[in-house]
Amino acid sequence: MMTSKRVTRTDYAHPHRPLPVRLINRLGNIGVRFGDPNPSSRFSDAALLERASRLEGLDDFGDPSFRPGLRALVAAIESEAGLTPVGRWITRKRLLGTLRNRLRAEKLFRDHPEILDLQIRPPIVITGMQRTGTTLLHRLLAADPDTRTVLSWEALNPAPYLNARGGCRGPGYLSRERLDPRLRVARISQRALALMAPDFFAVHPVEVEAPEEDVLLLDYSF
């Protein structure tokens, strides 16, 4: 794991934003003040479900128990989140990605039902208050070769892309990215996060092939 010399900013009212992001937000907010010129930008759980289905060519999202959570989340985004234009775009992409992962996972389970018969060893669960070293302990335990932890790129996209050629077995990360494009997507996401919110890395280092916590997996149940 890389070390970081960054420190956490305490000026929470004025977070760091790169100039291009500030300009896009400024222009977007001007449009909102004069009436939203693009009503389709508003969040709708039905529209998100339909869009995800169209992009993947699938319609089985699995257990419907996630739908009330999605509905509540969408309502909260519109009524209380106060997202910037860039924030709304990122949130929409993340919600669509989560729904698309559900679609791909259900297809994977249908094509390979033996996955559901695999035995899961009792997990080691780490809990604690924020900023008390839980991430450090998690990564320390993950360094044990006899343990298996979720990696950042896996948590971001647990279900393989339907057009991927196979697992990550090539020599070097470039070959591996050709075999599983989820690695490339995660690398782009890491760079984007470092650009837009560099201070976050002082709180929680993010690396594509480093262990990641289960918070991203919880997203899939909303």
Side-chain angles (χ1 to χ4, degrees):
M1 180 181 73
M2 295 184 297
T3 58
S4 173
K5 295 183 179 179
R6 295 185 185 278
V7 295
T8 307
R9 289 166 62 97
T10 57
D11 186 6
Y12 303 117
H14 304 91
H16 167 81
R17 293 291 182 269
L19 179 60
V21 173
R22 296 202 305 271
L23 290 175
I24 293 172
N25 284 334
R26 180 73 60 85
L27 292 173
N29 287 329
I30 290 174
V32 170
R33 280 198 289 272
F34 287 94
D36 190 352
N38 183 14
S40 65
S41 67
R42 298 201 173 275
F43 284 81
S44 157
D45 56 317
L48 288 168
L49 290 164
E50 189 277 333
R51 176 65 173 165
S53 290
R54 188 145 43 90
L55 289 171
E56 292 294 335
L58 301 168
D59 57 12
D60 181 5
F61 288 94
D63 187 338
S65 62
F66 76 91
R67 291 175 184 256
L70 174 62
R71 196 173 304 119
L73 176 59
V74 166
I77 289 172
E78 288 295 354
S79 64
E80 35 183 289
L83 296 177
T84 64
V86 172
R88 291 180 68 87
W89 180 81
I90 292 173
T91 301
R92 184 184 300 278
K93 293 282 286 185
R94 180 60 186 152
L95 291 178
L96 281 173
T98 303
L99 292 170
R100 294 176 70 179
N101 264 284
R102 288 191 66 97
L103 288 168
R104 296 198 305 271
E106 290 301 321
K107 176 173 172 51
L108 187 65
F109 296 149
R110 289 195 303 273
D111 294 345
H112 299 279
E114 67 274 11
I115 292 175
L116 301 178
D117 294 329
L118 295 174
Q119 295 298 310
I120 299 177
R121 294 166 57 186
I124 299 173
V125 180
I126 302 169
T127 64
M129 297 294 292
Q130 295 175 337
R131 318 268 47 85
T132 58
T134 50
T135 298
L136 180 62
L137 177 58
H138 174 228
R139 296 194 175 190
L140 177 63
L141 293 178
D144 182 349
D146 290 332
T147 64
R148 175 65 165 94
T149 186
V150 175
L151 302 180
S152 183
W153 69 271
E154 295 173 319
L156 194 61
N157 276 299
Y161 292 138
L162 298 181
N163 58 354
R165 290 183 291 169
C168 305
R169 292 184 292 272
Y173 79 82
L174 290 177
S175 296
R176 295 173 61 205
E177 287 184 0
R178 281 196 292 269
L179 287 169
D180 196 328
R182 291 179 295 171
L183 279 159
R184 183 173 64 255
V185 171
R187 214 170 294 280
I188 293 172
S189 298
Q190 176 188 329
R191 291 169 182 160
L193 179 60
L195 172 67
M196 291 187 289
D199 297 334
F200 181 77
F201 286 71
V203 178
H204 182 87
V206 175
E207 298 173 42
V208 171
E209 299 189 64
E212 190 50 82
E213 298 166 16
D214 63 355
V215 60
L216 292 181
L217 297 180
L218 296 177
D219 285 357
Y220 298 98
S221 61
F222 294 92

